[in-house]
Amino acid sequence: MSAPAPAGSSETVGHALARAVQRVTAAPLGPYQSAVVRIGVSATFLLFLLRELPHRHELYGPDGPWSWGMARRLITNNDAFTVLMWSDSTIWFETVYALTLASAALLMIGWRTRAASVLFMAGVLSLQNRSIFMGDGGDNVIHLMALYLVLTRCARVWSLDARRASRGLACLAETGRPARDVAGPVLWAVLGCVLMPATFMDGLGGTWWLPSLLWALWLGNGVRWVLDRRAPGHELRALLDVLANLAHNAALLVIMAEVCLIYATAGWYKIQGSRWQDGTAVYYPLELDYFTPWAGLSGLVASSALAVMVLTYVTVIVQVAFPFTLFNRRVKNVLLVLMIGEHAGISVLLGLPFFSMAMIAADAVFLPTAFLVWLGHRGSLGRQRLFSRAAGRPWLPGQRKAGPDDGEAPRGGGGGGHTLVG
């Protein structure tokens, strides 16, 4: 007969469970990591669209080999979402392309991040679903991250929303009233005027989750804005914060799982290939003209059998091992550096900069918080030096501490820079 469990064991488990629930509901986790993912993904797609600006009609527009009618028939069968199917007009295409560019820029700097993330998601899905044969692995990563970023509170730090939130708290402390907000309600109303006819005219694709998500975000942000102005201490306001934190933390967990799945899948498929087994797989792309922007550098690497073998085996080992190292911080950080270096090498040697940027942005979700805080501090000091020199004033180390104007929201519960659509 087994001995009865100690009376305090159930209480200990209950306290641990309560602390875990408190942790995932009280605040969004990984604010710096989510900010880096936001900046990296939006910057990658922004630079890609700018580079392809002269070829946009052939890629996604009316001059492409995948015609509007063919795309229409495909989307009718797979229920995908793209606003480019609303009209085959060239003017409409140019408008969507310009709005996608603008949303990527706004998301990168963190202005009205909630609305910008929704517009960014709509732009990414619209362009990629319009011409599904134009993408590669990097486009798939951006596609997924655009969906997940909508659910995150990725503007808590390093954003204009965080700066506005800090100034709003200062205004509330001084005057007892929240700061005036004109852009938020106007943007919210405009988006509502677009969302309503799009929903009732079946313009959001054939799935149920996309219109449900968009309406939940639109209504939730409207209710939250009203409560912030009329009843900031109301229980419903606290409930909305809890739901937002849960959604953020769940989305962050999904991003981490997605990155692990990408590497595990790629690694295990490589193991099954004979060229990866004999250590020669890296050699072949280095000899293809299409993947050798720097022929001399690629030839130098390909000429060394030892370098090719080391790069081949290290690539496989890192990709297979990474998901198993997440519970060992030091080993994980070492492999993370190797993976970022690998993608930087792919960018230079194989001429795939946007694929590499997308993967590095996704990898950033695992970067240590201490490193990101240090990096943000160094960036703040560099900005102070630059502005001091531009103003003709000497700059002395330590003359000003980092504050609200450095783009970080206060650590309290707060809204984290999210207003009506922010």
Side-chain angles (χ1 to χ4, degrees), residues 175-302:
T175 65
R177 299 191 307 272
R180 187 183 180 190
D181 183 17
V182 177
V186 171
L187 188 56
W188 184 81
V190 170
L191 292 178
C193 292
V194 175
L195 181 58
M196 187 171 296
T199 302
F200 292 108
M201 296 176 65
D202 295 329
L204 298 179
T207 60
W208 62 267
W209 64 267
L210 183 60
S212 301
L213 173 64
L214 295 178
W215 277 108
L217 291 172
W218 188 77
L219 293 173
N221 279 276
V223 172
R224 180 171 184 168
W225 187 88
V226 173
L227 291 175
D228 280 341
R229 264 65 186 169
R230 303 297 181 184
H234 196 275
E235 292 180 356
L236 182 56
R237 175 65 175 79
L239 176 61
L240 291 177
D241 259 343
V242 169
L243 294 177
N245 292 335
L246 281 173
H248 168 91
N249 295 330
L252 206 62
L253 180 62
V254 171
I255 291 175
M256 298 169 69
E258 193 73 49
V259 174
C260 290
L261 182 62
I262 290 172
Y263 284 120
T265 304
W268 285 106
Y269 270 111
K270 286 181 174 68
I271 286 179
Q272 302 174 46
S274 59
R275 295 294 176 262
W276 292 96
Q277 293 174 7
D278 61 26
T280 62
V282 171
Y283 171 81
Y284 297 99
L286 294 175
E287 292 296 317
L288 296 176
D289 293 338
Y290 186 79
F291 292 108
T292 54
W294 309 97
L297 182 59
S298 299
L300 180 64
V301 176

Side-chain angles (χ1 to χ4, degrees), residues 108-127:
M108 183 177 64
I109 63 177
W111 185 84
R112 305 289 171 175
T113 313
R114 186 68 73 187
S117 65
V118 172
L119 292 175
F120 179 73
M121 177 193 71
V124 170
L125 296 183
S126 296
L127 293 177

Side-chain angles (χ1 to χ4, degrees), residues 12-55:
T12 303
V13 173
H15 290 163
L17 181 60
R19 285 195 300 270
V21 173
Q22 174 70 14
R23 180 171 175 78
V24 299
T25 59
L29 304 176
Y32 291 94
Q33 288 82 354
S34 58
V36 174
V37 174
R38 182 199 87 229
I39 295 170
V41 170
S42 57
T44 300
F45 202 62
L46 174 64
L47 294 175
F48 172 77
L49 293 181
L50 288 175
R51 191 194 72 169
E52 300 298 340
L53 196 61
H55 314 292

Side-chain angles (χ1 to χ4, degrees), residues 394-411:
W395 182 87
L396 298 175
Q399 71 181 48
R400 188 179 74 85
K401 295 181 179 180
D405 287 343
D406 293 320
E408 295 192 13
R411 289 295 183 184

